[in-house]
Amino acid sequence: MAMLEVENVHVYYGNIHALKGVSLTVEEGEIVTLIGANGAGKSTTLFTISGVHKPREGTVRLEGEDLISYPAHQIVAKGVCQVPEGRRIFTRLTVQENLEMGAFTRTNRADIRQDLERVFSLFPRLKERRSQVGGTLSGGEQQMLSTARAMMSRPRLLLLDEPSMGLAPMLVESIFATIQEINREGTTILLVEQNAQMALQVAHRGYVLETGAIALSDSAANLRRNEMVQKVYLGIV
């Protein structure tokens, strides 16, 4: 049984058919990437898994349990947490307060303190700025904070939406190295990323989403060698 199973999911925005029978799986311990053009439905897929959008048809299961009937905050409590596109940190709260907000479903203060030190070891820059207001951080630091905030919920499945967006190349390398480290420490990851080259370097498997439907799925290595993927998403002619 896969950790995450999305089966024949259809999502609408009014009369717009955004997801047209999307099916995918993520096995425990994997990094799986979902690539595609702007407007293909990648973020909609993540929002459906995390309970923000409800499908008109289809199922989303976490280790066999159907998540469709649960509100988003209960899905977080079950171990699925999303890092949204655009970071969406609490700009008027400090770094530490943002991180504590990430643990809102938890009650064991000792465990929360332990995880706070864990994310500070993953993101030393945040430890230096723990008392700084979030809105004054750089774009890269805000991305670190958004990811670290999600890690404070102790997710078993982390949904990452465009973690490299707007970042300088050096910071992109750093963010993806951290994604791999989070995965090595035991967190399963579903990654949406416009930078297909980087996504396919860190992922084990991948799916290509086109206009709301899965067009292709394979190992990341095979997708990197696929002629269509090279031409359309990797810029290789």
Side-chain angles (χ1 to χ4, degrees):
M1 179 191 302
M3 171 175 276
L4 175 71
E5 297 173 284
V6 177
E7 187 175 347
N8 193 35
V9 162
H10 293 258
V11 173
Y12 290 77
Y13 296 118
N15 293 323
I16 298 171
H17 197 174
L19 296 184
K20 305 167 184 174
V22 167
S23 296
L24 59 85
T25 61
V26 181
E27 300 288 342
E28 185 174 358
E30 282 190 309
I31 301 176
V32 173
T33 189
L34 185 61
I35 62 174
N38 284 334
K42 305 184 302 296
S43 294
T44 299
T45 300
L46 295 192
F47 279 125
T48 303
I49 294 166
S50 62
V52 176
H53 298 324
K54 295 299 181 183
R56 193 173 296 182
E57 297 177 46
T59 58
V60 177
R61 291 186 293 271
L62 180 70
E63 295 178 334
E65 182 180 10
D66 193 345
L67 297 181
I68 297 298
S69 62
Y70 291 104
H73 69 280
Q74 289 185 11
I75 292 175
V76 172
K78 288 179 178 295
V80 180
C81 194
Q82 181 170 344
V83 180
E85 179 184 345
R87 294 128 201 179
R88 301 190 192 181
I89 63 166
F90 299 103
T91 56
R92 296 185 181 183
L93 300 184
T94 66
V95 166
Q96 179 147 344
E97 288 168 340
N98 266 273
L99 295 173
E100 289 170 350
M101 287 295 290
F104 79 98
T105 61
R106 302 170 56 193
T107 57
N108 188 313
R109 303 305 299 176
D111 283 350
I112 292 171
R113 285 193 297 272
Q114 180 182 347
D115 285 347
L116 192 62
E117 291 308 312
R118 178 192 175 207
V119 298
F120 281 149
S121 70
L122 278 169
F123 301 100
R125 187 78 61 85
L126 296 182
K127 187 170 186 177
E128 297 170 10
R129 287 158 171 69
R130 66 193 303 166
S131 300
Q132 189 169 327
V133 174
T136 65
L137 300 176
S138 70
E141 290 164 348
Q142 289 188 17
Q143 184 61 54
M144 294 175 195
L145 180 55
S146 184
T147 304
R149 182 183 60 188
M151 293 303 297
M152 287 298 295
S153 71
R154 277 201 181 173
R156 290 181 290 145
L157 174 63
L158 185 65
L159 309 177
L160 290 171
D161 196 351
E162 304 288 3
S164 77
M165 180 177 285
L167 301 184
M170 186 177 298
L171 285 175
V172 171
E173 295 278 350
S174 175
I175 286 291
F176 276 95
T178 304
I179 289 169
Q180 289 179 294
E181 179 62 24
I182 290 169
N183 178 247
R184 281 193 293 269
E185 289 184 359
T187 303
T188 303
I189 295 172
L190 178 58
L191 167 67
V192 161
E193 178 56 56
Q194 283 283 0
N195 188 336
Q197 186 74 257
M198 288 297 298
L200 291 172
Q201 284 179 21
V202 303
H204 301 100
R205 292 188 300 113
Y207 293 85
V208 177
L209 191 65
E210 293 184 351
T211 58
I214 300 293
L216 187 64
S217 65
D218 210 331
S219 69
N222 285 342
L223 288 175
R224 286 197 303 271
R225 292 189 288 265
N226 181 278
E227 193 171 315
M228 182 274 285
V229 172
Q230 289 183 345
K231 182 177 180 180
V232 176
Y233 300 106
L234 304 182
I236 300 172
V237 180

